[in-house]
Amino acid sequence: MTNNMFFIANWKMFGDIRSVNSTKKVIKLSKNKKYKRAQIIYCPPYTLLEKFLKITKKSKIKIGAQNCHYSQRPGPFTGSISANLIKSIGANYVIIGHSENRISEDNNHTINLKIKSALKEKLKVIFCIGETLNEKRRNKTNLVLKNQITRGLKNIKNNNIIFAYEPVWSIGTGVIPTNNSLKKQILNIKKIINKFCKIKNPKIIYGGSVNTKNITELKKISLINGFLIGGASQNTKNFIDIIKKTIN
Ligand code: 13P
């Protein structure tokens, strides 16, 4: 394995001002040549973005937001944050289409608008896709992924997109796909992107219950360009362990 690997920490609505300091050990690791293939990205809650940007400034760690509003202009959207606001404080990435947001505000159309808005601001997009347990049981996974990708990326030609395959049934459950089925899904996603999108060499990462134990199996799938990590990324020791076990 010689390619760079993404380790994206999605802190969701966890962490507070004190937890920013807990990242110091990760910053140290990011400066170690041995782990230069690791592209670490922290996506903390909005209120911690500036603190994260400050503490990671002298490292190659990048910072992203967990969502953005679809509007490309400022507007009367109480409680919302635009891609422009995210970019203006110096963040480089934004997660869009996370299943936890697809439950409430997001659908393939709003996600398409959000991605356009983010790309216009030159943010890199971590685009989440994945089927629910119900869809999986009804053998709808391929169709769901195809719709999410083609509708989410309608009229978009841009390489600044990382595809995060997160089967919803795997998020926070401790259950992960077998390596064979994960490999199959990644190949399927590549095929869909190839057929319907003009994106060259797409980066595809996996998310859903990645932890210090299952990483030794997951890392065997060479098609995967990294991991989007929820729970395990909030514990610095575990996050470092995952990075070390992947890149050794
Ligand atoms: P967990 O790693 O806690 O399952 O969360 C995955 C996720 O939703 C990352 O975006």
Side-chain angles (χ1 to χ4, degrees), residues 23-202:
T23 60
K24 281 183 180 156
K25 285 189 179 142
V26 179
I27 296 170
K28 193 169 163 217
L29 173 126
S30 76
K31 293 178 178 166
N32 183 336
K33 275 199 188 124
K34 192 170 168 206
Y35 301 106
K36 68 171 193 283
R37 288 205 297 117
Q39 174 61 72
I40 300 164
I41 303 167
Y42 270 102
C43 299
Y46 290 126
T47 52
L48 299 179
L49 283 172
E50 269 200 279
K51 290 272 176 211
F52 265 89
L53 282 159
K54 199 168 163 204
I55 200 168
T56 57
K57 205 168 154 192
K58 291 196 178 116
S59 75
K60 63 183 187 78
I61 293 178
K62 301 285 183 214
I63 305 300
Q66 296 172 15
N67 197 359
C68 69
H69 195 269
Y70 62 78
S71 178
Q72 296 190 7
R73 295 163 175 264
F77 303 110
T78 305
S80 299
I81 302 284
S82 65
N84 174 268
L85 288 171
I86 295 164
K87 183 68 184 182
S88 68
I89 56 161
N92 298 98
Y93 285 83
V94 60
I95 297 174
I96 295 179
H98 195 284
S99 60
E100 284 152 14
N101 294 326
R102 286 182 190 260
I103 294 169
S104 50
E105 65 183 73
D106 275 338
N107 55 49
N108 290 329
H109 176 61
T110 58
I111 287 167
N112 178 250
L113 296 178
K114 287 182 178 193
I115 295 177
K116 283 179 178 159
S117 194
L119 293 173
K120 182 171 171 266
E121 296 298 334
K122 304 222 165 0
L123 286 169
K124 295 195 170 94
V125 172
I126 299 152
F127 174 32
C128 298
I129 52 174
E131 78 286 2
T132 63
L133 186 57
N134 193 15
E135 289 160 344
K136 177 178 149 70
R137 283 187 177 144
R138 289 187 296 129
N139 284 326
K140 296 277 184 222
T141 302
N142 285 3
L143 182 66
V144 169
L145 293 176
K146 180 178 160 252
N147 285 342
Q148 289 176 341
I149 294 170
T150 54
R151 294 179 187 167
L153 296 183
K154 197 172 167 196
N155 297 327
I156 292 173
K157 291 175 202 156
N158 197 306
N159 273 342
N160 285 333
I161 297 168
I162 298 168
F163 294 81
Y165 173 54
E166 297 206 298
V168 183
W169 47 272
S170 188
I171 296 177
T173 59
V175 182
I176 62 165
T178 61
N179 276 15
N180 266 350
S181 75
L182 188 48
K183 235 187 264 174
K184 205 177 107 196
Q185 287 316 337
I186 304 276
L187 283 171
N188 179 35
I189 291 165
K190 274 185 188 285
K191 223 193 252 175
I192 298 169
I193 299 170
N194 235 326
K195 189 161 176 199
F196 298 100
C197 314
K198 295 197 169 54
I199 293 175
K200 279 184 206 141
N201 304 320

